[in-house]
Amino acid sequence: MPTDVIMPQMGESIFEGTITKWLKKPGETVQRDEPLFEISTDKVDAEIPSPAAGVLKEIKVAEGATVQVNTVVGVIDAAGGASATPAPAAAVHQEAAKTTAPAATAVAVAAPPAKPAETKPAAAAPAGDGHGEHIRSSPLVRRIAKDNDVDLAQLVPGSGSGGRINKDDILGFIAQQAQPGQAKAPAKTAAPAISNAPVAPGAGITVPGDVVPMSKMRNIIAQRMVESKHTSAHVHTVFKVDMTRVVKIRERERAKFEQRNGVKLTYMPFVSRAAVAGIKAMPIINSSVDGDSIRYHRNINIGIAVALDWGLIVPVVKHCEELSFLGLQRGINDLAERARNKKLLPDEVSGGTVTITNPGIFGPQFGMPIINQPQVAILGMGGLFKEPVVITDKDGNDSIAIRHIIRLTLGYDHRIIDGADADKFMVAVRTYLENWSEEIG
């Protein structure tokens, strides 16, 4: 019996979604709960599992099309009949004509290139088929590998955390393998270089001179950033913080912490705990503008900005004032990992009351982050560097020592936060970090 595949409602406030990638082609077998297609909404990108086992009989909505929730986007033949294979092409062409996507997009979905002598059902491939199913990599990396027939095992380990293969690794490998005049590239349709259709993140490898439309996520980020600059009176203050004590604690406890708890020990929970202490001292940081009033939030819900290969997302660790150091670290690691693998739920990227962003992992001294609306403050972490610092002892004598220094930036909304209050918050954060006394678990 055929089973309809519908566009799910990924949260109460979400009414439509864009199909960015079909992970199966018409005629291929699929298992129940196996990822079937990827969607992008104004809250989150996600992989959608198959509602049933069988053969993907028909794709009704092409990649790049945006439809309302509960729309039937495909059909699965639970009986797995072989007759399902030839039918979808016309259906996809007809459906594509009703959407804003160009016809070439529908062709790419409906008529994937195939060599008759080599055609095999997708299910024949083992789970670890060389495209990274069991190798640490993102869906984007695995997609690029599949499009370019690259075995990710050749790139292990990657340059990312824990040997994770990132976008730069796979693109660099493809560039090295390409022969002069015969560079490999993902299969493309005859669509012109400039198109108004949305494309899946990482759907192709761009080269200088290309003009490509923004992805759904990039378009939303652009809108949100402009709206924030138009809404909040942005002011920034930068503090130098001596992290030497924290660095020594982390170096001493890191191996035991990770062995005991099964999670990596990063600097983010140290800064998050300090931010909680700062908010307790200056609650105005954890507020928002409500018309002509100021709403002081009961809980401290910290959004942690996560850089993805295809954009930026801010999952939220809820009730941070109630969490231990270990609880914070677990929550941060879990959300970041699921963000990279498109496993977040809409509720996990909403409800934040203050945000922490860490561009310092890429090496800058500091940045000037934009406030995440409707919040009124964002704390930015700069790079951690060894620097010569003048140290004054209790007798007033000065000396020079090498210390671990980080620059923390507070971006705040001057409509309701005065400079003095912002600086008092930063002083509390700095004091907490420089005099760290908390057990890390």
Side-chain angles (χ1 to χ4, degrees):
M1 178 180 294
T3 300
D4 288 339
V5 180
I6 66 169
M7 174 64 71
Q9 183 163 8
M10 299 291 288
E12 293 182 1
S13 62
I14 297 176
F15 303 103
E16 65 180 18
T18 299
I19 294 182
T20 55
K21 180 73 173 181
W22 279 98
L23 304 177
K24 294 288 184 179
K25 297 181 178 65
E28 291 186 341
T29 58
V30 60
Q31 300 301 316
R32 181 180 175 86
D33 295 329
E34 181 182 1
L36 182 59
F37 61 100
E38 295 179 358
I39 66 169
S40 180
T41 73
D42 63 354
K43 291 288 187 183
V44 67
D45 285 4
E47 290 181 344
I48 305 304
S50 173
V55 171
L56 180 58
K57 179 180 180 181
E58 182 180 1
I59 291 177
K60 290 181 172 289
V61 177
E63 293 177 3
T66 300
V67 296
Q68 298 292 312
V69 299
N70 297 322
T71 299
V72 177
V73 299
V75 177
I76 292 176
D77 183 359
S83 61
T85 303
V92 173
H93 281 294
Q94 293 170 4
E95 182 65 31
K98 302 175 185 178
T99 69
T100 56
T105 304
V107 173
V109 177
K115 297 180 181 179
E118 301 176 358
T119 301
K120 298 180 182 179
D129 64 355
H131 297 306
E133 298 302 328
H134 291 161
I135 295 173
R136 290 178 58 82
S137 59
S138 69
L140 169 64
V141 169
R142 295 195 292 274
R143 184 183 308 134
I144 294 175
K146 184 175 181 180
D147 289 342
N148 290 272
D149 197 25
V150 171
D151 182 354
L152 289 181
Q154 300 176 59
L155 283 75
V156 176
S159 62
S161 175
R164 186 184 184 89
I165 299 173
N166 59 32
K167 181 181 178 182
D168 291 339
D169 294 330
I170 182 67
L171 294 185
F173 180 82
I174 292 171
Q176 290 176 3
Q177 296 299 309
Q179 297 296 322
Q182 298 179 348
K184 285 188 176 182
K188 295 183 179 180
T189 66
I194 302 177
S195 169
N196 292 323
V199 296
I205 302 174
T206 57
V207 297
D210 279 358
V211 178
V212 297
M214 292 184 186
S215 67
K216 179 80 170 180
M217 176 178 280
R218 176 53 53 191
N219 190 278
I220 292 169
I221 290 172
Q223 294 177 34
R224 297 291 185 266
M225 295 301 96
V226 172
E227 289 171 0
S228 182
K229 293 292 284 187
H230 286 173
T231 300
S232 296
H234 279 70
V235 180
H236 295 83
T237 184
V238 182
F239 272 58
K240 288 177 65 174
V241 178
D242 188 341
M243 291 280 284
T244 304
R245 183 176 178 83
V246 168
V247 169
K248 289 181 177 179
I249 291 172
R250 180 174 179 267
E251 289 176 349
R252 184 183 69 236
E253 301 292 334
R254 182 177 181 180
K256 292 184 292 184
F257 181 92
E258 294 179 359
Q259 183 178 15
R260 182 168 60 247
N261 301 306
V263 293
K264 291 185 177 180
L265 178 59
T266 69
Y267 289 109
M268 184 62 78
F270 289 94
V271 176
S272 298
R273 291 291 289 173
V276 169
I279 288 171
K280 289 179 178 178
M282 299 301 300
I284 189 68
I285 301 298
N286 194 55
S287 66
S288 59
V289 177
D290 188 356
D292 293 329
S293 303
I294 301 173
R295 180 181 297 277
Y296 288 84
H297 298 293
R298 187 184 306 275
N299 300 114
I300 301 174
N301 300 334
I302 299 179
I304 306 293
V306 177
L308 307 173
D309 289 338
W310 56 91
L312 179 74
I313 198 165
V314 186
V316 179
V317 183
K318 305 289 180 66
H319 298 191
C320 292
E321 76 282 1
E322 300 174 359
L323 297 178
S324 64
F325 181 94
L326 175 58
L328 265 176
Q329 182 69 89
R330 286 189 187 280
I332 291 167
N333 286 9
D334 173 61
L335 289 173
E337 183 65 22
R338 288 193 291 114
R340 297 186 183 100
N341 289 288
K342 298 185 178 181
K343 301 297 184 183
L344 290 174
L345 300 175
D347 183 61
E348 294 171 327
V349 291
S350 62
T353 58
V354 68
T355 295
I356 299 177
T357 181
N358 185 19
I361 59 175
F362 301 108
Q365 292 282 330
F366 60 90
M368 297 293 180
I370 297 175
I371 297 167
N372 188 17
Q373 295 297 321
Q375 300 165 24
V376 294
I378 182 169
L379 184 65
M381 299 167 57
L384 185 62
F385 302 99
K386 289 183 179 180
E387 298 181 10
V389 176
V390 176
I391 304 295
T392 303
D393 63 23
K394 60 182 180 180
D395 298 322
N397 299 314
D398 291 339
S399 62
I400 296 178
I402 302 299
R403 311 290 287 180
H404 293 269
I405 301 298
I406 192 173
R407 287 161 179 80
L408 298 180
T409 302
L410 181 69
Y412 60 96
D413 189 341
H414 209 350
R415 291 180 300 168
I416 64 171
I417 300 177
D418 293 330
D421 293 337
D423 290 341
K424 288 177 183 177
F425 166 80
M426 292 297 283
V427 168
V429 171
R430 181 180 64 189
T431 300
Y432 200 91
L433 289 170
E434 293 184 345
N435 300 278
W436 187 273
S437 59
E438 181 179 345
E439 292 293 331
I440 65 174

